[in-house]
Amino acid sequence: MVKAYLRYEPAVSFGVIASVDSNISYDSSGKHLLSPALEKIGVWHVRQGLCTKTLTPSSSSRGPSPSVTSIASSPSSLIAGGYGDGSIRIWDSDKGTCETTLNGHKGAVTTLRYNKAGSLLASGSKDNDVILWDVVGETGLFRLRGHRDQVTDVVFMSSGKKLVSSSKDKFLRVWDIDTQHCMQIVGGHHSEIWSLDVDLDERYLVTGSADNELRFYAIKHESVDGESVNGGEESSVQNKWEVLRHFGEIQRQSKDRVATVQFNKSGSLLACQVAGKTVEIYRILDDAEAKRKAKRRVHRKKEKKHSKEALEGIENGDRNNENKGDDSSVTHGPMETSNPTVTVADVFKLLHTIRAGKKICSISFCPVTPKNSLASLALSLNNNLLEFYSIEQGETKKTLAIDLQGHRSDVRSVTLSSDNTFLMSTSHNAIKIWNPSTGSCLRTIDSGYGLCSLILPTNKYGLVGTKDGTIEIIDIGSGTCVEVMEAHGGSVRSIAALPHKNGFVTGSADHDVKFWEYQIKQKPGQAAKQLTVSNVSTMKMNDDALVVAISPDAKYIAVALLDSTVKVHFADTFKFFLSLYGHKLPVLCMDISSDGDLIVTGSADKNIKIWGLDFGDCHKSIFAHADSVMAVQFVPKTHYVFSVGKDRLVKYWDADKFELLLTLEGHHADIWCLAVSNRGDFIVTGSHDRSIRLWDRTEEQFFIEEEKEKRLEEMFEADIDNAFENKYVSKEEIPEEGAVALAGKQTQETLSATDLIIERLDIAEAEEKRIAEHQEEKNNRNVAVFQANPLMNGLSPSDYVLSAFSDVHSNDLEQTLLALPFSDALKLLSYLKDWTSYSDKVELVCRIGTLLLQTHYNQLLTTPAARPILTVFSDIFHERVKGWKDIFGFNLAAMDHIQQMMASRSDALFHDARSKLLEIRARQSKRLEERSDTGEVKRKKKKT
C-alpha cells in the first residue's frame, strides 16, 4: 500500500521592513511609502508607522517567488513592481490586488519609471534592454536595444515624447518614442552611470556615477514652430539632434559612488545618495537668483582683477598711463556682462548633508511638501530600517523611524512556546517576541548577540545564550531582561531543556557542558519573585561543544564537538556510552526522536546522518543540501525530520524510509534556524534575509512518487528554458546600434497558448468538414440529426477557436501568434470576418489581424489562396474600426463639454490664484533686475 503524506505550504512571512535589493517610493498621495520586503511590497502609513497592506504575488508553480528589484508609483493608485525574474506586476494599491503581469525582460528589472500621465511605463533591466509598456492596454509597445551593459535608470522628457536611459556602459542614450530610434548618445563619464533624473520644468538633467562629481546637462526643447529653444544659444545643423548639452559639474563631498539622484516634486531640491551613509541635499535657485549670483561672481572677479592691476601699477610707477588706459577700456565691461553666463555652481547650492547610522540603500522625496519645511525625505537602510527626515532651511531633523517590525541583522535562533501562542527570536542586539499566526511583534528587548534560545515550560520566562558566554533571563510578560549571568568562558552555542522540566543544559566553546537548575524565588531586597538559575554540575569535553541534545527519557546526553564527532554520555553519571563518527566536517545541529530510537545529525559537509541511539550504528547518510546543514528537528511523536541549510531550502524527510518528501522554497538567503510546533502542524524558520517564515501543514495529501516526477519535470523545464534562451545567443553579442525589437518574451504560457490555438483550429476545421458533408447528404436525402463534437461544448467552430484567446493575456498575444505556423495563421485569418460581429471583440480582432499581417507579410503576398480572405477582411475591418473610432470620439467630446460646463459653473473663483501669484512675482523680480542693471550701468558711466 502506497503511503500518503500531508503537504506543508508557506503561510506567513514577517520581520522584513525594507530589503536591500530594491528602491523605496512614495505613492502619489504622499501618505504611504512603498517598501520592498523580499518578494512582497509593503505599503506603510507614514504618520502611523504601520504596514497597512502587503502586496504579495501569487505563489508560482515552479521555484521560489523572485524578490522585488524595483518599485515605481504612478499618478493614480497603480504601482509597478519589477522582479528578479524580469517580470513586472502592476498593482492597485487601494484594493491590494495585482492588475496584470508583464513579461518581457530576461534579466532582473533594475529601473521603472512612469510618464507624467501614467499611461506609459519604461523599464530597464540587467539584459541591457529598455522596454516601453502601454499600461492601459497592458501590452509591450517595443524594446530598445543599444546599451552594452545593464540599464541603471530611465526618465521621460519633452512631455513623454523622449526617453533618456543610463547604463553601466558609461553612456546616456536619448530615444525618440514616436520614431523609436536613438537620437543622441552622450559620453564623457569615466565610470558606470548609476542614476539620473530631470527637474520638474525639464531644464536640467543630472547624472550620478562613481566619478567625484555630479554631471548636469541642459535640455533643449522644441518650440511650436519646430525651432529649438535652449538658454539663448542658436542651434546649428550639427546640433540638430542634440537634446542634452553639457552644462557643468559639481564636486561631491563623498568619495563613494552615487546610488541615486532625485529631484523633489516641486523641483527646488536635489538629493544625491551615495553607496554609503550620506545624502547630499542641494538647493536649486530660480533663474533670477542664479543670474544675481552670477553677477556677484563676475563682479568679485573684476574687483580682484582691478585690485591686482592697482598693486602692479603702484609697484611699477612708469606704467601709470598704461593702467589708466586699461581702466578706461574696462568701463565698457558692465554693458557686456550685464547678462553674465550662468554656470552650474550658480544654480545648485549645497544645503545639507544627512548622515545615517548605517549604509543607505534608497531614498524617496515625499510628493507633498510639508507646511513648515522644504521637503520630507524617506531613507531605507541596509539594516532593515526606514527613516524619515524633515529638510528645513537651517537644518535636517529625523522625524520618524520604523524599526520595531523586524531585526536589524540575521535571525539566529527561533523558539516556540509550549502552547505555540508566541515565538521568540534572537539576533545580534535584540530579542523579539512575535505572534506567529499574525506576524505582529509583541515585545522587543535589548540583548547581547543571541546564538541560542529556550522558552521555559511555564511560558513566562525565556533563556538566551550569547556570543559573550552569558545567559540572559528574559521576563516575557514585562518584556525586560531580568538578569545576565556569566555562564561560560566562551560563546554559548547550544541550550537544551531537561525533560523533567526544572533544568536545562548548555554547551559552549570553552569545552564545558553545564547542567543548570532554575526556580522562582524572592531575592532579598526585591518586591516580587523572580527566576533564579544555579549551576548544578559541569561535564568537561575535549573540544568545543557545538550542539547538545537530551534524550526524551533524560537517560543520555549527546554532545557534538568541533572534531566532527558526536559523543553520547549517560546524563546522570557522565559516563561515556557511544561515539558517532562519520561526518567529514563538524556537526552543526542534531535532534533525538520522541521515542528515543533515532538521532539525526546535520553537518557542514552538507550531509545528514540518521543513527540508532541503541548501538550508535549509522542507518543512512544522505546528501541533503547544497551547502552546510544549519538545523534539523524531528516532528514530535514521528520519525519525520525537517532540515534547513545555507542553500535557502527547507527539506522534509522520512527517517524510516530515508526518502525526501518535500522541498520548500521561499527564503532569499541562508537559513540559520528552525522550530517545529508541538503538534507538528506548522514550522518556523529564521534566515540571513531577516525574515521569519511560517509553514503550515495542510489537509492536501501527496505521494512520494508524484513529488519525484514533479521535481524531474521542473528540472527538465528549467533545462528547456535555459537551452531556448542560450541556443542562438552568444555571450559576447554586441547589440545592433539603436535597434528596436518586440517587447514580449516567449514563455511556457505562450507556447501552451499556441498549442491550444493549433489544436482548436484542427478540431474546428474537422467539424466544418463534417457540417459540410452533413449538409450535402441532407440535400440529397433525409438523414439523421447532426451530432456536434462534444469537445466543442455546443459552440460553433468559429466561437470555439475564439474561446482559445480568452485565457491569453494581452501582453502574451504577440508571442503566442509569432509561434503559429503560416498554414494555421491563414486558417485563423479566415475566422476574423465572423468575429467582427462581436462588438466587444473588435480590438482583439484588430490586434490579431495586424500582428498576423506584419509577421507573414511576404508569404501572404505570394499565396493566391490568401487573397480572397484578405479582401473580405479588409472591407469589414475598416468599417468596424471606423465605427468604434466615431463612438470613442463622440464620447471624448461629450466628456470635454461636460468638464467645461462644470468649470464654468464652479464657484471657486480663486482656483488658479497660485499660478497667477507666481506669474506676478516672476514679473516683479524681472523688473527689479532690469532696474538694478540700468542703475549699475549709469553709475559706471558717471565714474568714467
Side-chain angles (χ1 to χ4, degrees):
M1 187 178 172
V2 180
K3 188 175 179 181
Y5 300 87
L6 292 176
R7 188 180 295 279
Y8 283 81
E9 288 188 349
V12 186
S13 168
F14 50 91
V16 181
I17 298 168
S19 50
V20 297
D21 296 328
S22 171
N23 63 303
I24 56 172
S25 176
Y26 273 95
D27 70 347
S28 55
S29 68
K31 292 178 182 176
H32 297 95
L33 183 74
L34 311 169
S35 171
L38 302 176
E39 75 276 10
K40 302 186 289 189
I41 298 173
V43 182
W44 293 85
H45 193 288
V46 176
R47 190 168 289 178
Q48 296 172 358
L50 296 173
C51 186
T52 54
K53 279 191 193 73
T54 304
L55 310 178
T56 310
S58 57
S59 57
S60 58
S61 57
R62 202 173 65 191
S65 297
S67 58
V68 178
T69 54
S70 184
I71 298 172
S73 58
S74 73
S76 64
S77 63
L78 294 180
I79 294 162
Y83 293 80
D85 61 351
S87 64
I88 299 165
R89 288 181 176 87
I90 309 295
W91 300 88
D92 189 319
S93 60
D94 293 342
K95 299 175 189 171
T97 55
C98 180
E99 297 294 300
T100 185
T101 303
L102 306 170
N103 288 306
H105 289 293
K106 291 175 184 173
V109 178
T110 52
T111 178
L112 291 168
R113 188 88 66 141
Y114 278 97
N115 66 346
K116 283 182 181 176
S119 58
L120 295 179
L121 176 70
S123 64
S125 166
K126 285 186 177 178
D127 63 7
N128 309 351
D129 293 347
V130 177
I131 298 181
L132 205 69
W133 306 91
D134 178 0
V135 179
V136 180
E138 298 179 359
T139 56
L141 297 176
F142 47 85
R143 182 190 301 264
L144 300 169
R145 285 184 168 151
H147 284 296
R148 301 189 181 184
D149 207 335
Q150 80 172 51
V151 179
T152 54
D153 210 348
V154 289
V155 67
F156 284 95
M157 286 194 328
S158 306
S159 305
K161 290 180 180 178
K162 293 182 181 68
L163 185 75
V164 184
S165 59
S166 64
S167 169
K168 287 171 79 172
D169 64 6
K170 307 177 188 177
F171 290 103
L172 293 176
R173 282 178 178 266
V174 183
W175 308 87
D176 189 304
I177 291 172
D178 293 335
T179 57
Q180 301 175 18
H181 81 285
C182 182
M183 296 175 64
Q184 185 185 1
I185 301 172
V186 181
H189 290 85
H190 305 297
S191 58
E192 300 161 338
I193 308 170
W194 287 98
S195 182
L196 78 161
D197 201 11
V198 172
D199 69 329
L200 182 69
D201 300 326
E202 294 188 2
R203 294 183 300 163
Y204 307 109
L205 180 138
V206 59
T207 62
S209 65
D211 303 345
N212 289 329
E213 64 271 335
L214 291 175
R215 282 178 176 264
F216 291 86
Y217 296 88
I219 300 168
K220 184 180 78 174
H221 296 282
E222 286 188 1
S223 65
V224 181
D225 304 328
E227 295 176 0
S228 65
V229 178
N230 178 27
E233 282 198 6
E234 293 180 9
S235 62
S236 62
V237 179
Q238 284 82 8
N239 63 11
K240 182 186 175 185
W241 301 106
E242 190 183 64
V243 178
L244 300 178
R245 180 179 55 81
H246 186 246
F247 182 50
E249 295 98 6
I250 287 182
Q251 290 294 319
R252 296 191 288 110
Q253 306 293 309
S254 173
K255 291 181 180 178
D256 297 315
R257 73 163 178 85
V258 173
T260 313
V261 286
Q262 194 178 88
F263 286 95
N264 70 335
K265 183 80 173 175
S266 62
S268 60
L269 296 175
L270 169 68
C272 169
Q273 174 231 330
V274 300
K277 297 180 181 180
T278 59
V279 180
E280 294 168 13
I281 308 292
Y282 294 88
R283 184 164 164 257
I284 303 160
L285 307 180
D286 60 23
D287 290 340
E289 285 179 298
K291 282 178 182 175
R292 281 200 291 273
K293 193 174 177 184
K295 280 179 186 174
R296 285 198 298 272
R297 176 173 50 79
V298 171
H299 186 65
R300 282 197 300 272
K301 197 174 179 183
K302 274 192 177 303
E303 283 182 347
K304 280 182 183 176
K305 190 178 177 183
H306 284 316
S307 59
K308 192 176 178 183
E309 285 176 355
L311 284 168
E312 283 176 3
I314 291 163
E315 287 170 7
N316 306 312
D318 56 334
R319 294 185 184 178
N320 279 341
N321 293 328
E322 287 177 23
N323 285 334
K324 281 176 186 176
D326 287 346
D327 284 346
S328 62
S329 66
V330 170
T331 55
H332 300 290
M335 290 292 288
E336 293 167 13
T337 59
S338 59
N339 284 316
T341 306
V342 175
T343 63
V344 70
D346 299 327
V347 182
F348 297 90
K349 177 188 175 186
L350 183 65
L351 186 66
H352 298 298
T353 300
I354 298 172
R355 298 184 193 280
K358 285 285 179 181
K359 189 177 175 183
I360 303 165
C361 295
S362 175
I363 60 168
S364 181
F365 272 113
C366 180
V368 179
T369 307
K371 289 180 182 177
N372 302 322
S373 61
L374 298 173
S376 180
L377 185 71
L379 274 62
S380 74
L381 309 185
N382 74 341
N383 65 340
N384 198 23
L385 182 65
L386 291 173
E387 289 185 344
F388 298 86
Y389 286 83
S390 174
I391 300 165
E392 297 170 13
Q393 193 67 46
E395 59 177 348
T396 58
K397 291 179 184 174
K398 184 159 81 169
T399 55
L400 178 69
I402 298 174
D403 58 351
L404 292 177
Q405 291 297 319
H407 283 289
R408 302 283 74 75
S409 65
D410 304 18
V411 180
R412 291 310 299 258
S413 77
V414 286
T415 315
L416 284 161
S417 61
S418 59
D419 56 0
N420 301 330
T421 54
F422 59 87
L423 169 79
M424 184 164 77
S425 63
T426 66
S427 71
H428 82 295
N429 68 349
I431 299 160
K432 286 186 181 284
I433 311 296
W434 308 84
N435 180 339
S437 57
T438 61
S440 56
C441 182
L442 307 175
R443 301 273 188 280
T444 300
I445 306 140
D446 291 336
S447 75
Y449 199 133
L451 296 176
C452 53
S453 57
L454 176 71
I455 294 175
L456 298 182
T458 58
N459 295 336
K460 291 182 178 177
Y461 293 95
L463 302 169
V464 175
T466 68
K467 202 172 185 179
D468 301 330
T470 61
I471 294 174
E472 297 181 354
I473 302 170
I474 307 299
D475 186 333
I476 293 168
S478 64
T480 56
C481 181
V482 176
E483 191 180 351
V484 179
M485 291 178 51
E486 294 292 334
H488 287 275
S491 57
V492 181
R493 298 280 176 82
S494 181
I495 186 165
L498 286 166
H500 46 76
K501 298 186 179 178
N502 63 348
F504 61 94
V505 184
T506 56
S508 168
D510 64 358
H511 302 194
D512 286 352
V513 174
K514 291 189 177 182
F515 287 73
W516 306 80
E517 276 189 357
Y518 57 82
Q519 53 187 342
I520 296 172
K521 63 180 184 181
Q522 190 170 351
K523 287 185 178 179
Q526 288 183 341
K529 290 183 178 181
Q530 284 185 347
L531 185 85
T532 56
V533 174
S534 56
N535 183 17
V536 179
S537 55
T538 303
M539 183 167 68
K540 294 280 183 184
M541 307 304 292
N542 296 327
D543 214 330
D544 293 16
L546 301 180
V547 197
V548 292
I550 309 287
S551 64
D553 55 2
K555 189 177 179 182
Y556 303 113
I557 177 169
V559 184
L561 302 177
L562 196 61
D563 62 4
S564 307
T565 64
V566 176
K567 308 291 185 190
V568 184
H569 294 256
F570 288 97
D572 49 358
T573 62
F574 300 160
K575 188 179 176 183
F576 176 75
F577 175 52
L578 292 170
S579 180
L580 311 178
Y581 55 88
H583 283 291
K584 294 174 183 174
L585 289 170
V587 172
L588 303 175
C589 52
M590 64 181 171
D591 193 29
I592 298 171
S593 63
S594 301
D595 56 9
D597 290 347
L598 299 177
I599 178 169
V600 62
T601 55
S603 165
D605 63 10
K606 308 173 189 176
N607 292 310
I608 62 171
K609 290 182 187 287
I610 300 161
W611 315 76
L613 198 56
D614 44 4
F615 300 111
D617 55 322
C618 181
H619 292 185
K620 188 71 173 176
S621 179
I622 304 168
F623 181 72
H625 290 267
D627 209 330
S628 303
V629 184
M630 299 309 297
V632 289
Q633 196 168 340
F634 278 101
V635 176
K637 298 177 184 176
T638 70
H639 282 182
Y640 301 143
V641 183
F642 280 100
S643 67
V644 299
K646 284 187 175 180
D647 60 355
R648 310 178 181 187
L649 299 178
V650 181
K651 294 195 176 184
Y652 185 37
W653 307 86
D654 187 332
D656 290 331
K657 293 184 178 178
F658 318 124
E659 290 275 9
L660 173 63
L661 304 179
L662 279 178
T663 300
L664 304 174
E665 297 175 295
H667 279 290
H668 295 260
D670 309 353
I671 306 175
W672 292 116
C673 49
L674 164 73
V676 181
S677 69
N678 289 340
R679 295 188 299 275
D681 54 343
F682 69 89
I683 67 165
V684 180
T685 52
S687 168
H688 174 66
D689 63 16
R690 292 162 192 159
S691 72
I692 298 170
R693 289 177 190 264
L694 188 131
W695 314 78
D696 267 343
R697 185 172 64 200
T698 63
E699 294 303 313
E700 184 190 345
Q701 291 186 339
F702 71 93
F703 301 95
I704 294 176
E705 293 304 319
E706 284 181 4
E707 286 301 308
K708 282 182 180 175
E709 283 178 23
K710 198 184 284 185
R711 282 196 289 272
L712 285 170
E713 277 177 21
E714 285 174 7
M715 285 169 65
F716 180 65
E717 284 177 7
D719 288 342
I720 285 176
D721 290 348
N722 293 336
F724 180 77
E725 284 182 13
N726 300 328
K727 191 173 181 181
Y728 302 107
V729 182
S730 61
K731 293 290 181 188
E732 289 81 24
E733 182 190 22
I734 294 171
E736 188 184 335
E737 187 57 49
V740 179
L742 296 174
K745 176 176 79 168
Q746 197 153 33
T747 60
Q748 205 68 34
E749 288 77 17
T750 60
L751 292 172
S752 301
T754 306
D755 290 341
L756 182 66
I757 291 166
I758 293 168
E759 183 191 332
R760 295 205 173 177
L761 282 168
D762 292 340
I763 293 170
E765 188 180 23
E767 186 70 3
E768 281 183 335
K769 279 181 184 174
R770 282 184 63 227
I771 291 168
E773 285 170 6
H774 181 267
Q775 195 67 37
E776 198 175 319
E777 287 175 10
K778 194 177 176 183
N779 293 337
N780 295 336
R781 62 186 187 280
N782 290 330
V783 291
V785 179
F786 178 74
Q787 293 292 326
N789 189 337
L791 287 172
M792 296 176 66
N793 299 323
L795 297 171
S796 67
S798 173
D799 291 347
Y800 183 62
V801 176
L802 179 61
S803 65
F805 289 92
S806 60
D807 294 330
V808 179
H809 193 274
S810 180
N811 181 50
D812 295 336
L813 184 64
E814 199 167 30
Q815 292 295 330
T816 302
L817 294 174
L818 274 175
L820 272 181
F822 177 68
S823 57
D824 291 304
L826 206 57
K827 289 178 197 173
L828 194 59
L829 278 169
S830 65
Y831 287 112
L832 296 183
K833 173 175 67 73
D834 300 332
W835 297 347
T836 51
S837 59
Y838 300 114
S839 58
D840 59 330
K841 302 293 180 189
V842 171
E843 187 184 352
L844 176 67
V845 171
C846 292
R847 284 195 67 203
I848 293 171
T850 50
L851 286 169
L852 290 176
L853 289 170
Q854 286 169 353
T855 308
H856 303 286
Y857 179 74
N858 292 326
Q859 274 182 293
L860 285 167
L861 281 179
T862 55
T863 308
R867 287 171 195 167
I869 297 169
L870 293 174
T871 306
V872 173
F873 177 62
S874 64
D875 295 339
I876 298 171
F877 182 79
H878 287 295
E879 185 188 329
R880 295 286 181 192
V881 171
K882 189 177 183 303
W884 276 102
K885 279 183 75 177
D886 291 344
I887 291 167
F888 287 139
F890 181 82
N891 290 342
L892 284 169
M895 283 191 280
D896 284 341
H897 181 63
I898 291 165
Q899 189 179 5
Q900 287 170 13
M901 285 173 66
M902 288 177 73
S904 64
R905 289 177 191 169
S906 174
D907 297 328
L909 300 173
F910 304 104
H911 66 279
D912 59 344
R914 183 180 170 79
S915 57
K916 294 279 185 190
L917 186 66
L918 289 170
E919 273 180 43
I920 293 162
R921 281 180 180 170
R923 279 189 218 134
Q924 283 179 340
S925 63
K926 202 171 181 182
R927 282 177 198 153
L928 286 168
E929 203 179 314
E930 285 170 0
R931 282 176 193 167
S932 63
D933 287 349
T934 50
E936 202 174 318
V937 170
K938 283 175 183 176
R939 281 195 298 275
K940 294 282 181 185
K941 279 183 178 178
K942 280 179 184 177
K943 283 179 185 177
T944 55

